[in-house]
Amino acid sequence: MEREGPVDDEYMDCVSEGSAFALFMYGAPLSNFRGVMRKKTTGEMSGLPYAIGLLNCLVYTWYGSPLISNGWDNALVMAINAIGLLLQFCFCGIYLLFAPPKPKRIMGMILGGVLVVFVSIAAASMWGIGAAHKKALVGTTGMVASVILYGSPLSDIRTVVKNKSVECMSFYFSMFAFLGSVLWLVYGALSRDILIMAPNFLGIPLASTQMIIYCVYSQKSRARVEDVKLKVLTTISEEKPKEKCTKLPLPQNDIEMQLEQKETIELTSK
């Protein structure tokens, strides 16, 4: 396929900007995991987005390699997802290190399934099917993994609604997923690659939904924090008079002494 003039410029713009947003999306959970390492617990955070992110990066790194694509046509796809792969390995490792026992077991099983799926797809694409179909196999797997990745933060919605807090969600992940989906959709259209277009077409509404939910519940979360602060201040202000009252018995001794002196004076005068 040949691209000429303005189309080629637009193509390269989409490639560079889409790559940047993809990197930002993969790195967006860094702030969440700084909190995990500080608290030394994952709390109610779900590990599913990071396991699916790992699968997505594994598949698309393989998809972009010369073993699957036509030479180095998709070298950029391979490079971006290789960096994402390193980040996802780190996130999954930190999650396993600080997760409570039950979520840790669940995460371990999910990661085991991710590795089995990837090894099966890689083996099938190399030795199980013909060269004409291996790109379609790997690309279809990547397409499914990408759609699940874009929708995976929705697994935390139950926690968000229950706690009225967006602590376990990353707004930046959703924002960069949305922007990246738009640009990779254009990239796929210009390169006429349906396997890149399809997941990003679905990623746009999924990321938009997450941003809307985040904005709604972040406002409720701030209101809840303000209520807690107000209650604390009210409690402190109510406790202060009580502290003063406990210090009042001391002057009572002076009053009794004055009464005794008065009685003594009256008796003496009589």
Side-chain angles (χ1 to χ4, degrees):
M1 181 183 66
E2 296 181 359
R3 293 179 292 273
E4 299 177 354
V7 176
D8 192 50
D9 292 339
E10 185 180 357
Y11 177 85
M12 292 309 298
D13 287 343
C14 289
V15 168
S16 57
E17 292 174 8
S19 300
F21 286 132
L23 282 177
F24 288 140
M25 182 185 73
Y26 289 140
L30 280 170
S31 59
N32 293 48
F33 279 95
R34 278 200 298 268
V36 167
M37 289 187 288
R38 186 175 65 252
K39 298 175 182 176
K40 303 204 180 300
T41 179
T42 57
E44 297 187 46
M45 180 190 295
S46 172
L48 180 63
Y50 314 108
I52 299 301
L54 181 65
L55 177 61
N56 179 79
C57 291
L58 281 168
V59 172
Y60 272 111
T61 300
W62 183 244
Y63 177 82
S65 72
L67 294 171
I68 302 299
S69 294
N70 183 22
W72 294 99
D73 285 354
N74 286 315
L76 185 62
V77 174
M78 182 182 71
I80 296 300
N81 284 278
I83 297 171
L85 182 60
L86 178 62
L87 289 170
Q88 299 306 315
F89 265 124
C90 293
F91 295 152
C92 291
I94 294 170
Y95 188 93
L96 288 173
L97 183 62
F98 292 108
K102 185 177 179 180
K104 185 181 294 187
R105 287 195 300 271
I106 294 172
M107 184 65 165
M109 290 188 290
I110 294 173
L111 289 175
V114 163
L115 293 177
V116 168
V117 169
F118 174 69
V119 170
S120 301
I121 295 299
S125 62
M126 289 299 295
W127 302 292
I129 59 175
H133 302 291
K134 62 182 181 181
K135 185 178 179 181
L137 173 65
V138 178
T140 302
T141 306
M143 178 178 68
V144 173
S146 291
V147 172
I148 298 174
L149 173 65
Y150 289 139
S152 59
L154 295 173
S155 63
D156 289 319
I157 295 302
R158 185 174 63 86
T159 303
V160 170
V161 173
K162 183 177 75 173
N163 297 337
K164 293 184 173 54
S165 171
V166 293
E167 184 180 358
C168 60
M169 288 186 73
S170 172
F171 176 79
Y172 293 110
F173 176 90
S174 302
M175 182 181 73
F176 289 126
F178 174 80
L179 296 173
S181 293
V182 171
L183 291 169
W184 282 111
L185 178 63
V186 176
Y187 171 89
L190 293 173
S191 61
R192 298 178 186 176
D193 193 332
I194 188 66
L195 296 175
I196 292 178
M197 287 176 61
N200 290 288
F201 179 79
L202 295 173
I204 293 171
L206 287 171
S208 300
T209 302
Q210 292 160 34
M211 287 192 291
I212 292 169
I213 291 171
Y214 187 97
C215 290
V216 169
Y217 280 94
S218 64
Q219 292 177 353
K220 292 184 178 181
S221 180
R222 282 195 293 270
R224 187 180 178 188
V225 169
E226 291 300 323
D227 288 342
V228 170
K229 286 182 179 178
L230 182 61
K231 287 179 182 178
V232 170
L233 291 173
T234 304
T235 303
I236 291 173
S237 63
E238 288 175 352
E239 287 178 352
K240 282 184 177 179
K242 293 179 182 178
E243 292 178 358
K244 290 181 180 179
C245 290
T246 57
K247 296 178 182 179
L248 285 177
L250 289 175
Q252 185 68 26
N253 294 329
D254 295 335
I255 295 172
E256 290 177 356
M257 289 176 63
Q258 290 176 5
L259 289 172
E260 288 178 0
Q261 289 175 358
K262 186 177 179 182
E263 290 176 358
T264 305
I265 292 169
E266 288 177 355
L267 289 172
T268 306
S269 62
K270 289 179 181 180

